[in-house]
Amino acid sequence: MKNETSNTAILLIHCPDAKGLVAAVTDFLHNNNGNIISLDQHVDQAERRFFMRVEWDLEGFAIPEEKIDDYFGTLIGQKYRMEWQLHFTSRRPRFAIFVSKMSHCLYDILQRCMSAEWKVEVPIIISNHDNLRYIAERFDMPFEVIAIDKDNKAEQEQRQIELLQQLDVDFIVLARYMQILSDNFVAAFPNRIINIHHSFLPAFKGAKPYHSAFNRGVKVIGATSHYVTADLDEGPIIEQDVRRISHKDSVPDLIRIGKDLEKVVLARAIWLEIQHKILPYKNKTIVFD
Amino acid sequence: MKNETSNTAILLIHCPDAKGLVAAVTDFLHNNNGNIISLDQHVDQAERRFFMRVEWDLEGFAIPEEKIDDYFGTLIGQKYRMEWQLHFTSRRPRFAIFVSKMSHCLYDILQRCMSAEWKVEVPIIISNHDNLRYIAERFDMPFEVIAIDKDNKAEQEQRQIELLQQLDVDFIVLARYMQILSDNFVAAFPNRIINIHHSFLPAFKGAKPYHSAFNRGVKVIGATSHYVTADLDEGPIIEQDVRRISHKDSVPDLIRIGKDLEKVVLARAIWLEIQHKILPYKNKTIVFD
Amino acid sequence: MKNETSNTAILLIHCPDAKGLVAAVTDFLHNNNGNIISLDQHVDQAERRFFMRVEWDLEGFAIPEEKIDDYFGTLIGQKYRMEWQLHFTSRRPRFAIFVSKMSHCLYDILQRCMSAEWKVEVPIIISNHDNLRYIAERFDMPFEVIAIDKDNKAEQEQRQIELLQQLDVDFIVLARYMQILSDNFVAAFPNRIINIHHSFLPAFKGAKPYHSAFNRGVKVIGATSHYVTADLDEGPIIEQDVRRISHKDSVPDLIRIGKDLEKVVLARAIWLEIQHKILPYKNKTIVFD
Amino acid sequence: MKNETSNTAILLIHCPDAKGLVAAVTDFLHNNNGNIISLDQHVDQAERRFFMRVEWDLEGFAIPEEKIDDYFGTLIGQKYRMEWQLHFTSRRPRFAIFVSKMSHCLYDILQRCMSAEWKVEVPIIISNHDNLRYIAERFDMPFEVIAIDKDNKAEQEQRQIELLQQLDVDFIVLARYMQILSDNFVAAFPNRIINIHHSFLPAFKGAKPYHSAFNRGVKVIGATSHYVTADLDEGPIIEQDVRRISHKDSVPDLIRIGKDLEKVVLARAIWLEIQHKILPYKNKTIVFD
């Protein structure tokens, strides 16, 4: 965990594997008087692809913040055909929360924001129902109902997209949002929508996973947070966890037990995201935790 | 899980082990037209002691509610030297919450009450600090500051006891309440105060367990909910859980990770309590889950 | 855990739910001077079906062992349309082990037998390959190769069935046996074949689950022990467990990590079986643990 | 997981934290045509100490194997006041196993060696009792009884030390060896003795932890593998894991459940050790997994 008061930069990189990649990046930082705070790298042998996350202190760094991206690209990135993201911890991550009628994930997220466990900004809560407005009001949060039916879906999603772009959110959290997003919406936020699915994927995709789990007679249930892609419940998995159940547990028991999994697993995924520790690649994630 | 709408009775029993105990209890219920919904029993071989929880439907039961305790005692309980508790699910469990400055457990409990995950009554939140009053206000909950220092402790605890008795609470939840209760206070609520301790007891008793865990270099941390007794962190354990950590986790990381354990472990203990599924005996618990 | 030296009887019962079932069974035992050691019951509300496991001491029990089944049926079982199994702990459970080429589960099982952790008899190890014969020889265990190809399958399975019936095995353990059993074979041992599948079912059914798990990018892998039915990997689940993995784990890593899950999960299922703690019903199990 | 057939080198480094450490090491490797396979680093902020593990392919590396240590020390190590270990994967790790009377860890280790899950050499099994000789014989392993009583301890430990030095073992595994090692013995193998303790340390140090766990009424039990130091059960922890128990579990149940934890936790620690992934520092470990 970095010192919270300092300003640091983070590079998330991936590129074809090659000799000298770590040396090239660390030399770039070292030669410009950058002090590395943490460095993680990974090589996917099957894909022959290199992944790296490096965080360094900007105190005394020779290159001004606004030019780092340009310099890095010119000197290192292009040479190795890298794709990279550059983040500054001085910017508070901003995300929108989408909800429907269940409150457990929403409360959990808001508590973390309020208690400053997370240093983030949540400029909007969007819902397809009015039910949870009272919670937003209690927390003095903007709450926008954008009701969706099969006739208005395209148009309402367009409203959502515009609102989100206006508010300059970095990513979107689906906190048990019970609407399937269109491909068009998903395409507007590639690997920037985090969902919580109430099963250990790939088991029990789609609707009513606790009912399916009960009917199958499993002895563990789970929850999965993942980036949303055009394929339902098929996006890159960020985090999963499970809990034991028994024949004594009814469907309502599974739902109750599952809520605790859902909120904790979703919170862990958001925590990783706001620290820029996740690198999605194809249908998987590299999680530098 | 019982049908929520029906009215049922629950007997929690323990007594010296003997032949025919289950038959005696089930005959008593059956002969009076009681339909058993669930039955669990346990014999502690070392203690030669019998434990039982039985729940039955009151619909059509021959003995009126207010006479069950008397009849059971006369016909069965005294004969076998039983100690027993009788509960009716028609009574909503009532508990007080004690907090200090940390909000995660409090939010978590209130969310469960508000969303009707738990059907309970919380007539009061008591704190030794004013910090969390804003949360109580958001939830329209009574919040009472009873500040405690070494000079006024006896007197302030007396105020607490009177308030709690007035409000007729069944039990008390210490949701990260950072004050050691006196023996006198504990004696007023025997096995009726549920605490959450932020370590897997008996490791790291007392103050600053996450610092101790960090210094010892453990690879898992935990949380423990237990009944409070006169001996600090030595009361009967109700529930425990753990999570893996690594050398990368600093003390603030352990605190953050630990919060999720604390709130979930405490909530599980409360859930067991409100279902009357815990039978404390000596320094242990029988948990009929 | 019962006293190992005493002789006890176990009844596993299921029947349509009705009033007075527990009283009827416990009266039967009590009236015949049977001391109940443990009793568990469960009602499946959806199926309206009652399940029970009761174990009692045969010391001083009024009905001779060989007549218990008859008396119980006449006095209780038929009246309530029960299906039941009666077991005596004086009989050591006997099971056959089926293996192919991987040794981890086999060693694990044999170690438990040799060290008397389990009090069982293993009259035969059957394999479709010769590879693990040296292990059987080290443990002085009979090892029979019954090679199977698509032409001889029916005939070779018939040999297996005859051998198993001759040896009077109570059940069969597939300890990573890499052959799909025919419906005919399965029908000869209904709910008496325990398999270990190397994934948390229902995810990753069929062949190469670790490769599938790797390709899907899951963050936990699991293992499942279940009774074998005619539908591949669809039988009643007995036990499951999981372990966290990360992007750093290759397929060989998953296989290595998974082996530890497989052997432990399989061993737990066998342990439940030899204590007669599993009651399969339809495609699920009641596990009285 | 590296390609098993290639020959690689591993550096485990720690030193006071400073700017440019990663760049210095990666430049050294890159400039000499070394292809980095994996790199992990960690900075302990409290200790201001830098830790690193780097593995690279020796194919085409400019410096001959036998001179790497010298060159690295001269060019990098001394400059930064590093302490380091250099390992080659071409050398099979060699370790001795110490046992007493319980066989579960021994079988588990031997199965992993026999099945080539681990590519290691075990030149000797040492015991203070003759009980497990039959296992060694089954596996054709050398087994040496070195009986220890209070009068001969110093002398017998001297025999052990000489034997172990003669056999050139890299480390020692105490697979439930029920003898406390003297400070003198421990000093001969600093951070080279791996023990398995049957509790989640620091809870239940010393003898009979399962009895203590039972008496305390805990709801989880655990196992801990750690390096042995002069202070009993106080050495740097390598790995821990736990499993849930309930009031139904007797002491023999805890022992049985615990065995599965012990063997798996010990095996994970050995696996980390043979990959040179553990860096002990003071009373903790950095585990680069």
Side-chain angles (χ1 to χ4, degrees):
Chain A
M1 195 168 185
K2 65 181 182 300
N3 185 334
E4 294 291 339
T5 57
S6 65
N7 187 17
T8 67
I10 294 160
L11 266 170
L12 282 168
I13 299 163
H14 62 99
C15 64
D17 195 20
K19 280 195 182 182
L21 289 165
V22 178
V25 175
T26 57
D27 278 348
F28 170 78
L29 297 177
H30 185 228
N31 294 340
N32 291 297
N33 205 31
N35 190 28
I36 293 174
I37 290 165
S38 76
L39 180 152
D40 273 288
Q41 61 93 49
H42 172 66
V43 177
D44 185 322
Q45 300 291 355
E47 300 275 347
R48 299 230 158 261
R49 197 148 190 100
F50 173 85
F51 302 87
M52 186 173 180
R53 181 190 186 275
V54 62
E55 180 170 3
W56 72 99
D57 199 334
L58 287 170
E59 175 83 38
F61 192 57
I63 308 170
E65 283 191 33
E66 66 280 7
K67 293 191 177 164
I68 295 174
D69 194 72
D70 180 36
Y71 280 41
F72 180 78
T74 306
L75 298 172
I76 311 286
Q78 286 153 21
K79 179 173 170 192
Y80 294 101
R81 289 181 292 146
M82 288 175 173
E83 296 180 44
W84 71 93
Q85 306 167 26
L86 177 65
H87 301 282
F88 298 105
T89 53
S90 57
R91 177 187 162 90
R92 289 204 165 203
R94 288 169 71 80
F95 62 89
I97 305 173
F98 278 48
V99 293
S100 290
K101 295 182 179 171
M102 300 182 81
S103 65
H104 56 291
C105 289
L106 178 59
Y107 267 119
D108 189 74
I109 292 168
L110 295 181
Q111 184 272 326
R112 293 172 203 268
C113 299
M114 293 291 148
S115 66
E117 179 181 318
W118 295 344
K119 293 186 174 48
V120 295
E121 284 165 20
V122 177
I124 190 80
I125 301 167
I126 292 176
S127 182
N128 52 339
H129 297 284
D130 203 51
N131 307 51
L132 301 183
R133 180 184 294 282
Y134 74 102
I135 299 174
E137 286 174 359
R138 278 185 187 154
F139 285 88
D140 295 320
M141 304 280 298
F143 186 87
E144 189 83 19
V145 174
I146 303 183
I148 292 193
D149 58 37
K150 65 180 187 313
D151 295 324
N152 69 4
K153 184 156 184 160
E155 166 191 353
Q156 293 291 69
E157 282 197 346
Q158 195 50 43
R159 265 187 66 199
Q160 292 175 343
I161 291 171
E162 279 161 24
L163 187 57
L164 295 166
Q165 287 170 342
Q166 221 169 46
L167 292 168
D168 191 26
V169 301
D170 298 315
F171 61 100
I172 297 158
V173 172
L174 307 185
R176 297 299 310 275
Y177 180 63
M178 301 283 88
Q179 269 285 331
I180 294 172
L181 304 173
S182 73
D183 292 5
N184 182 50
F185 186 96
V186 172
F189 304 97
N191 284 331
R192 289 170 58 198
I193 309 169
I194 296 176
N195 186 39
I196 181 71
H197 182 74
H198 37 317
S199 79
F200 49 82
L201 290 174
F204 309 127
K205 279 188 275 195
K208 294 200 171 290
Y210 294 128
H211 291 77
S212 304
F214 179 80
N215 290 333
R216 180 60 187 91
V218 293
K219 300 298 185 188
V220 289
I221 58 169
T224 304
S225 59
H226 62 95
Y227 289 116
V228 176
T229 59
D231 298 316
L232 184 67
D233 298 334
E234 294 280 4
I237 292 171
I238 302 168
E239 171 68 348
Q240 301 186 285
D241 210 345
V242 303
R243 205 165 134 219
R244 296 181 73 82
I245 56 162
S246 82
H247 63 272
K248 296 181 195 173
D249 294 306
S250 64
V251 170
D253 288 325
L254 301 198
I255 290 171
R256 179 180 48 75
I257 294 167
K259 281 178 181 171
D260 285 358
L261 282 171
E262 293 161 28
K263 70 187 184 192
V264 169
V265 169
L266 178 57
R268 286 188 211 153
I270 298 171
W271 174 245
L272 290 167
E273 180 71 29
I274 64 187
Q275 295 178 295
H276 314 291
K277 290 201 164 174
I278 317 171
L279 225 176
Y281 181 70
K282 297 192 173 173
N283 71 327
K284 296 192 190 184
T285 60
I286 313 297
V287 176
F288 294 113
D289 62 348
Chain B
M1 195 168 185
K2 64 180 181 302
N3 185 334
E4 295 290 341
T5 57
S6 65
N7 187 18
T8 65
I10 294 159
L11 265 170
L12 282 168
I13 299 164
H14 61 99
C15 63
D17 195 20
K19 280 196 181 179
L21 289 164
V22 177
V25 175
T26 56
D27 279 348
F28 170 79
L29 298 175
H30 185 229
N31 294 340
N32 292 296
N33 205 31
N35 191 28
I36 293 173
I37 289 164
S38 76
L39 181 152
D40 273 288
Q41 62 92 48
H42 173 66
V43 177
D44 185 323
Q45 300 291 356
E47 300 275 345
R48 299 230 159 260
R49 196 148 190 100
F50 173 85
F51 301 87
M52 186 173 181
R53 181 189 186 276
V54 61
E55 180 170 3
W56 72 99
D57 200 333
L58 287 170
E59 174 85 36
F61 192 56
I63 309 171
E65 283 192 33
E66 66 279 9
K67 293 192 179 165
I68 295 174
D69 194 73
D70 180 35
Y71 280 41
F72 180 78
T74 305
L75 298 172
I76 311 286
Q78 284 153 23
K79 180 173 170 192
Y80 293 102
R81 288 181 292 148
M82 288 175 172
E83 296 180 44
W84 71 92
Q85 306 168 26
L86 176 66
H87 301 281
F88 298 105
T89 54
S90 57
R91 177 185 162 92
R92 288 204 165 203
R94 288 169 71 80
F95 63 90
I97 305 173
F98 278 48
V99 293
S100 290
K101 295 181 179 171
M102 299 182 82
S103 66
H104 56 292
C105 289
L106 178 60
Y107 267 118
D108 189 74
I109 292 169
L110 294 181
Q111 185 274 323
R112 292 172 203 267
C113 299
M114 293 292 149
S115 66
E117 178 181 316
W118 294 344
K119 294 184 173 51
V120 296
E121 285 166 19
V122 177
I124 190 82
I125 300 167
I126 292 176
S127 181
N128 52 337
H129 296 285
D130 203 52
N131 307 51
L132 302 183
R133 179 184 296 279
Y134 75 102
I135 300 174
E137 285 173 359
R138 277 183 188 156
F139 285 87
D140 295 319
M141 303 281 298
F143 186 86
E144 189 83 21
V145 174
I146 303 183
I148 291 193
D149 58 36
K150 66 180 186 311
D151 295 326
N152 70 4
K153 183 154 184 162
E155 166 192 354
Q156 292 291 69
E157 283 197 345
Q158 194 51 42
R159 264 186 69 199
Q160 292 175 341
I161 291 171
E162 279 160 25
L163 187 58
L164 295 166
Q165 286 170 342
Q166 221 168 45
L167 292 167
D168 191 26
V169 301
D170 298 315
F171 61 99
I172 297 158
V173 171
L174 308 185
R176 297 299 310 274
Y177 180 62
M178 301 281 89
Q179 269 285 330
I180 293 171
L181 303 174
S182 73
D183 293 4
N184 183 50
F185 186 96
V186 172
F189 303 97
N191 284 332
R192 289 170 57 199
I193 308 169
I194 295 176
N195 186 40
I196 180 71
H197 182 75
H198 38 317
S199 79
F200 49 81
L201 290 175
F204 308 127
K205 280 188 275 193
K208 294 200 170 291
Y210 293 128
H211 291 77
S212 303
F214 179 79
N215 290 332
R216 180 61 187 91
V218 291
K219 301 297 185 190
V220 289
I221 58 169
T224 304
S225 59
H226 63 94
Y227 289 116
V228 176
T229 59
D231 298 316
L232 185 65
D233 297 335
E234 294 279 6
I237 292 170
I238 301 167
E239 172 67 348
Q240 302 187 285
D241 210 346
V242 304
R243 205 164 133 220
R244 295 183 74 84
I245 57 162
S246 82
H247 63 271
K248 295 181 194 172
D249 294 305
S250 64
V251 171
D253 289 325
L254 301 199
I255 291 171
R256 179 181 47 75
I257 293 167
K259 279 177 182 172
D260 285 359
L261 281 171
E262 294 161 27
K263 71 187 183 192
V264 169
V265 169
L266 178 58
R268 286 188 212 153
I270 298 171
W271 174 245
L272 291 167
E273 180 71 29
I274 64 188
Q275 295 179 294
H276 313 292
K277 290 202 165 174
I278 318 171
L279 225 176
Y281 182 70
K282 296 192 174 174
N283 71 326
K284 297 190 187 182
T285 60
I286 313 299
V287 176
F288 294 115
D289 62 348
Chain C
M1 195 168 185
K2 64 179 184 299
N3 185 332
E4 294 291 341
T5 56
S6 65
N7 188 18
T8 67
I10 294 159
L11 267 170
L12 282 168
I13 299 164
H14 62 98
C15 64
D17 196 19
K19 279 196 183 181
L21 288 165
V22 178
V25 175
T26 56
D27 279 349
F28 170 77
L29 297 177
H30 185 228
N31 294 340
N32 291 297
N33 205 32
N35 191 29
I36 293 174
I37 290 166
S38 75
L39 180 152
D40 274 287
Q41 62 93 49
H42 172 66
V43 177
D44 185 321
Q45 300 291 355
E47 300 276 346
R48 298 231 160 260
R49 199 150 188 97
F50 172 85
F51 301 87
M52 186 173 181
R53 181 190 186 275
V54 60
E55 180 171 2
W56 72 98
D57 199 334
L58 288 171
E59 175 85 38
F61 191 57
I63 307 170
E65 283 191 33
E66 67 279 9
K67 294 190 178 165
I68 295 174
D69 195 73
D70 180 36
Y71 279 41
F72 179 78
T74 305
L75 298 172
I76 311 286
Q78 285 153 21
K79 179 173 171 192
Y80 293 101
R81 287 182 293 146
M82 288 175 173
E83 295 180 43
W84 71 92
Q85 306 167 26
L86 176 66
H87 300 283
F88 299 104
T89 53
S90 57
R91 177 186 162 92
R92 291 203 163 203
R94 288 169 71 80
F95 63 89
I97 306 172
F98 278 48
V99 294
S100 289
K101 294 181 180 171
M102 300 183 80
S103 66
H104 55 294
C105 289
L106 178 60
Y107 267 118
D108 190 72
I109 292 168
L110 294 181
Q111 185 273 325
R112 291 172 204 268
C113 299
M114 293 292 147
S115 67
E117 179 181 318
W118 294 344
K119 291 183 175 51
V120 296
E121 284 165 20
V122 177
I124 190 83
I125 301 167
I126 292 176
S127 181
N128 52 339
H129 296 285
D130 203 52
N131 305 50
L132 301 184
R133 179 185 295 281
Y134 74 103
I135 299 174
E137 285 173 0
R138 277 185 188 155
F139 284 85
D140 294 321
M141 303 280 297
F143 186 87
E144 189 83 21
V145 174
I146 302 185
I148 292 191
D149 57 39
K150 66 180 186 314
D151 295 326
N152 70 5
K153 184 154 184 162
E155 163 193 356
Q156 292 292 69
E157 283 198 343
Q158 196 49 45
R159 262 187 69 199
Q160 291 175 341
I161 292 171
E162 279 160 25
L163 187 56
L164 295 166
Q165 286 170 341
Q166 218 168 50
L167 291 168
D168 190 26
V169 301
D170 298 314
F171 62 99
I172 296 159
V173 172
L174 307 185
R176 298 298 310 276
Y177 180 63
M178 301 282 90
Q179 269 286 328
I180 294 172
L181 303 174
S182 74
D183 293 5
N184 182 50
F185 186 95
V186 172
F189 303 97
N191 284 333
R192 288 168 59 199
I193 308 169
I194 296 176
N195 186 39
I196 180 73
H197 183 74
H198 37 317
S199 79
F200 47 83
L201 291 175
F204 308 128
K205 279 187 277 192
K208 293 200 173 289
Y210 293 127
H211 291 77
S212 304
F214 179 80
N215 289 332
R216 181 59 188 92
V218 293
K219 301 298 185 188
V220 287
I221 57 168
T224 304
S225 58
H226 63 95
Y227 289 115
V228 176
T229 59
D231 297 316
L232 186 65
D233 297 334
E234 294 280 6
I237 292 172
I238 302 167
E239 171 68 350
Q240 300 187 287
D241 210 347
V242 304
R243 205 163 134 220
R244 294 183 74 82
I245 57 162
S246 83
H247 63 270
K248 295 181 195 173
D249 294 305
S250 63
V251 171
D253 289 325
L254 301 198
I255 291 170
R256 180 181 47 75
I257 293 166
K259 280 179 183 171
D260 285 359
L261 282 171
E262 294 161 28
K263 70 187 184 192
V264 169
V265 169
L266 178 57
R268 286 188 211 152
I270 298 172
W271 174 245
L272 291 167
E273 179 72 28
I274 62 187
Q275 296 179 293
H276 313 292
K277 290 200 165 174
I278 318 170
L279 225 176
Y281 181 71
K282 295 191 174 174
N283 71 326
K284 297 190 187 184
T285 60
I286 314 297
V287 176
F288 294 113
D289 63 346
Chain D
M1 195 167 186
K2 63 181 183 302
N3 185 332
E4 294 291 340
T5 57
S6 65
N7 187 18
T8 66
I10 294 159
L11 265 171
L12 282 168
I13 299 165
H14 61 100
C15 64
D17 195 20
K19 280 195 181 182
L21 288 165
V22 178
V25 175
T26 55
D27 279 348
F28 170 78
L29 298 177
H30 185 227
N31 294 340
N32 291 297
N33 206 32
N35 191 29
I36 293 174
I37 290 165
S38 76
L39 180 152
D40 274 288
Q41 62 94 50
H42 172 66
V43 177
D44 185 323
Q45 300 291 355
E47 300 276 346
R48 299 230 159 261
R49 197 148 190 101
F50 172 85
F51 301 87
M52 186 174 182
R53 180 189 186 277
V54 60
E55 180 171 2
W56 72 98
D57 199 332
L58 287 170
E59 175 84 39
F61 192 56
I63 308 170
E65 283 191 33
E66 67 280 8
K67 292 190 178 166
I68 295 174
D69 193 73
D70 179 36
Y71 279 42
F72 179 78
T74 304
L75 297 172
I76 311 286
Q78 284 153 22
K79 180 173 172 193
Y80 293 102
R81 287 181 293 146
M82 288 175 173
E83 296 180 44
W84 72 91
Q85 306 167 26
L86 177 66
H87 300 281
F88 298 105
T89 53
S90 57
R91 176 186 163 92
R92 291 205 162 201
R94 289 169 69 80
F95 63 89
I97 305 172
F98 278 47
V99 292
S100 291
K101 294 180 179 172
M102 301 182 80
S103 65
H104 56 293
C105 289
L106 177 59
Y107 267 118
D108 189 73
I109 293 168
L110 294 181
Q111 186 273 326
R112 292 171 203 269
C113 299
M114 293 292 148
S115 67
E117 178 181 318
W118 294 345
K119 293 185 174 50
V120 296
E121 284 165 20
V122 178
I124 190 82
I125 300 167
I126 292 176
S127 181
N128 53 339
H129 296 285
D130 203 52
N131 307 49
L132 302 183
R133 179 185 295 280
Y134 74 102
I135 300 173
E137 285 173 359
R138 277 185 188 154
F139 285 86
D140 294 321
M141 303 280 296
F143 186 87
E144 188 83 21
V145 175
I146 303 185
I148 291 192
D149 58 38
K150 63 180 190 312
D151 296 327
N152 71 4
K153 183 155 184 162
E155 166 192 353
Q156 293 291 69
E157 284 197 344
Q158 195 49 44
R159 264 186 67 198
Q160 292 175 340
I161 292 172
E162 279 161 25
L163 187 56
L164 295 165
Q165 287 171 340
Q166 218 169 48
L167 291 169
D168 191 25
V169 300
D170 298 314
F171 62 99
I172 296 157
V173 171
L174 307 185
R176 296 300 309 276
Y177 180 62
M178 299 283 90
Q179 269 286 329
I180 295 172
L181 303 174
S182 73
D183 292 5
N184 182 51
F185 186 96
V186 172
F189 302 97
N191 285 331
R192 289 169 58 200
I193 308 170
I194 296 176
N195 186 39
I196 180 71
H197 182 74
H198 37 317
S199 79
F200 48 81
L201 290 175
F204 309 126
K205 279 187 276 193
K208 294 200 171 290
Y210 293 127
H211 291 77
S212 303
F214 178 80
N215 290 331
R216 180 62 188 90
V218 292
K219 301 298 186 189
V220 287
I221 57 169
T224 304
S225 58
H226 63 95
Y227 289 116
V228 177
T229 59
D231 298 315
L232 185 65
D233 297 333
E234 294 280 6
I237 292 171
I238 301 167
E239 171 68 348
Q240 300 187 286
D241 209 345
V242 304
R243 205 164 134 220
R244 294 183 74 82
I245 56 162
S246 82
H247 63 270
K248 295 181 196 172
D249 294 306
S250 63
V251 170
D253 288 325
L254 301 198
I255 290 170
R256 179 181 47 75
I257 293 166
K259 280 177 182 171
D260 284 358
L261 282 170
E262 293 161 28
K263 71 187 184 192
V264 169
V265 168
L266 178 58
R268 287 189 210 151
I270 298 171
W271 174 245
L272 290 167
E273 179 72 28
I274 62 187
Q275 293 178 295
H276 313 292
K277 290 200 163 175
I278 318 171
L279 224 177
Y281 181 69
K282 294 192 174 173
N283 72 326
K284 296 191 188 184
T285 60
I286 314 299
V287 176
F288 295 113
D289 61 348

